[in-house]
Amino acid sequence: MVKGTTLETLLPFTEDIEIPFRTLLPSIAVTALTKYKTEVEELETKQLELMTKESNIAKGVLAELNLSVLFDSSGSEIPVSIQEGVNKIIESGGFQHIQGLLQQVMSTSNENKDILRQIEGVIEAEFAQDAKMRSDFPHMRDRITESNKINGNLKATTQSLAQKLKAASDADDLVKQKMHKYKQSFEMICLGVNKLKEKCPNSGKEGSASQDSIKAINITKEAFKKLEIVLERRENLIKKLHLNIEKTDPEKEIIQNPTKPYTEILDASLHSFDPILKEIEENIAQQETCIATLMEYTQKARSGQTESSQKREEFLQNINIGINAFREVSENVQEGLAWHSRFQETLNSHLQRVSEFSSSRRLEKQLFAESLSKEFAGMTVTAVAVPISEK
């Protein structure tokens, strides 16, 4: 007796035959499948945007609360995080290095402004020469096209480059202002950890704070650790959702189960994401709980501090702000220097194009003038006899 062979054995389902088999599906099923894929894409995008937004909220709250300083507001040692930040700044060259970079930015910016003025000058000179030629030879205007009709792209590009350079210069000024604002903090940071330790107010032992404050700090630390776990878990949820979406293939199931209603398969596929969506919802709720706890007990912890602890925290907080500002200024200055260097290449390239255009126009007008001279030289003057009237 011959054993029957299934169609799946003869033609195993692969990516290569997916489209031929799909043509066997009713058009209404194909439409529903397309709609399903769109819904899934929107679902993933929406969840990713939601989790990113919530993570940014958490990071913003942590930056505002400055918990590392609060946790180290007792004792006499400089917090490790601040020590590391100070050492990195000094190793990078410190305040003098960043001042040198900013001077390079300003110098390169001025060079770019000079190049831009050269470009504008070449365009203006060519236009002035063109206008003079038309004024001197009005009857020959139609022989050479007006500059305004053929240099529009060059002028538009020049204006665009001028706007970009203006925006960059404004950004440079903001960086310069920020540098001036935090100058004292930067100079103090560059004194080094040992000098900062000497200047930092000493709050004494932890017992100098009230018991309520100590308790509030401990609760804050626990909430902070929980929030870190929540944020780490969120990264895994993003990956998990993406993998689940990639793994779920209702199209394959519809083709392999032609007797099963396609609507049932698509609906089941959509609901298969419900568990992870619930996990995401719970994760966000946990973050809200952690942040609420942090906000409440950070305030209680600070209100119960002694005067010396408050002064110490304020000092460390200012140093921490200075460290973050230095990093930001350093990044801005380096980005600005790189941008102006690249932009200078663009300006020089545009200057070359403008100069070539001007030279080409000058040659065209020179040839025109020579042609005009030849035309005048070939002209002959015929004397016309004027009859003498009889008296």
Side-chain angles (χ1 to χ4, degrees):
M1 190 173 188
V2 180
K3 184 178 180 182
T5 303
T6 63
L7 180 61
E8 187 175 345
T9 304
L10 291 172
L11 295 172
F13 185 88
T14 64
E15 293 293 333
D16 295 334
I17 67 169
E18 177 181 349
I19 294 177
F21 266 102
R22 188 173 176 180
T23 58
L24 300 177
L25 295 175
S27 59
I28 190 172
V30 173
T31 302
L33 191 59
T34 301
K35 181 181 177 183
Y36 161 83
K37 290 184 176 181
T38 301
E39 289 178 355
V40 170
E41 288 176 1
E42 291 176 351
L43 181 145
E44 183 177 16
T45 301
K46 181 180 178 181
Q47 294 302 315
L48 180 59
E49 289 176 350
L50 175 62
M51 288 188 281
T52 302
K53 176 185 174 183
E54 292 297 328
S55 296
N56 289 337
I57 289 174
K59 292 174 183 177
V61 170
L62 292 176
E64 182 181 350
L65 294 178
N66 206 358
L67 296 177
S68 61
V69 172
L70 173 65
F71 296 157
D72 292 302
S73 60
S74 60
S76 58
E77 292 297 323
I78 300 294
V80 175
S81 59
I82 291 181
Q83 289 187 41
E84 292 175 349
V86 169
N87 290 333
K88 285 182 180 178
I89 288 174
I90 294 175
E91 289 171 4
S92 70
F95 185 44
Q96 290 183 344
H97 176 66
I98 205 72
Q99 280 182 312
L101 288 178
L102 184 58
Q103 288 177 357
Q104 290 182 45
V105 170
M106 295 304 175
S107 176
T108 311
S109 176
N110 289 333
E111 290 174 5
N112 289 342
K113 291 175 183 177
D114 289 339
I115 297 172
L116 183 63
R117 280 191 286 268
Q118 289 181 50
I119 293 171
E120 293 171 339
V122 172
I123 292 176
E124 289 174 5
E126 196 282 323
F127 178 78
Q129 186 188 44
D130 185 77
K132 186 176 186 304
M133 182 274 294
R134 296 179 187 285
S135 175
D136 293 343
F137 307 102
H139 60 290
M140 304 300 290
R141 289 178 182 177
D142 295 335
R143 298 277 291 272
I144 296 180
T145 308
E146 288 183 40
S147 292
N148 279 344
K149 293 182 178 179
I150 56 177
N151 69 356
N153 288 337
L154 292 177
K155 292 180 71 175
T157 301
T158 302
Q159 290 173 356
S160 175
L161 292 174
Q163 290 173 356
K164 290 179 180 179
L165 185 56
K166 174 67 168 56
S169 297
D170 291 344
D172 295 338
D173 289 339
L174 290 176
V175 174
K176 195 174 181 179
Q177 290 172 17
K178 183 173 287 188
M179 178 94 81
H180 180 73
K181 178 181 178 181
Y182 291 102
K183 182 176 182 290
Q184 291 184 344
S185 295
F186 293 166
E187 290 175 340
M188 182 173 290
I189 288 169
C190 292
L191 293 175
V193 174
N194 291 333
K195 287 291 183 181
L196 289 177
K197 186 176 179 181
E198 293 176 6
K199 293 179 175 293
C200 181
N202 189 345
S203 66
K205 298 181 179 179
E206 192 173 0
S208 60
S210 68
Q211 291 300 315
D212 288 341
S213 178
I214 295 172
K215 181 180 178 181
I217 289 176
N218 290 333
I219 293 174
T220 303
K221 287 180 178 178
E222 291 177 7
F224 175 67
K225 289 178 181 178
K226 288 180 181 178
L227 182 58
E228 285 186 316
I229 295 172
V230 167
L231 294 175
E232 183 179 351
R233 171 65 177 156
R234 183 169 299 157
E235 293 296 322
N236 294 330
L237 286 174
I238 293 173
K239 296 176 183 177
K240 184 178 178 181
L241 176 61
H242 182 71
L243 289 174
N244 280 9
I245 289 175
E246 283 191 335
K247 186 173 63 176
T248 305
D249 191 355
E251 183 173 353
K252 179 179 178 180
E253 189 176 352
I254 291 172
I255 294 172
Q256 291 180 331
N257 299 278
T259 59
K260 190 174 182 179
Y262 67 86
T263 52
E264 184 179 327
I265 294 174
L266 294 175
D267 190 52
S269 296
L270 278 175
H271 282 294
S272 68
F273 305 124
D274 287 349
I276 190 169
L277 293 179
K278 186 175 180 181
E279 287 184 65
I280 292 172
E281 185 179 346
E282 292 173 350
N283 181 270
I284 292 173
Q286 290 169 359
Q287 171 179 304
E288 292 174 352
T289 301
C290 291
I291 287 178
T293 302
L294 288 172
M295 297 288 285
E296 178 183 356
Y297 284 91
T298 297
Q299 184 177 0
K300 289 182 178 179
R302 287 191 166 119
S303 63
Q305 286 179 324
T306 60
E307 183 179 352
S308 59
S309 293
Q310 290 175 355
K311 288 182 178 180
R312 173 178 168 80
E313 182 182 354
E314 182 179 352
F315 177 86
L316 294 176
Q317 191 168 9
N318 288 335
I319 295 298
N320 201 43
I321 291 172
I323 291 173
N324 291 331
F326 188 93
R327 289 172 182 163
E328 186 176 343
V329 168
S330 179
E331 289 176 2
N332 291 340
V333 169
Q334 292 180 53
E335 289 173 1
L337 185 57
W339 186 90
H340 280 292
S341 298
R342 292 193 305 270
F343 194 66
Q344 190 166 108
E345 295 178 4
T346 302
L347 285 172
N348 281 323
S349 177
H350 186 56
L351 175 59
Q352 183 177 353
R353 287 195 298 271
V354 170
S355 299
E356 289 174 353
F357 170 80
S358 178
S359 298
S360 175
R361 291 284 287 175
R362 191 181 303 111
L363 178 60
E364 182 183 12
K365 292 165 189 175
Q366 181 181 345
L367 293 175
F368 165 74
E370 292 175 357
S371 173
L372 194 62
S373 298
K374 290 178 182 179
E375 288 181 18
F376 279 121
M379 290 181 179
T380 58
V381 180
T382 304
V384 179
V386 179
I388 299 175
S389 58
E390 294 181 1
K391 292 185 180 179

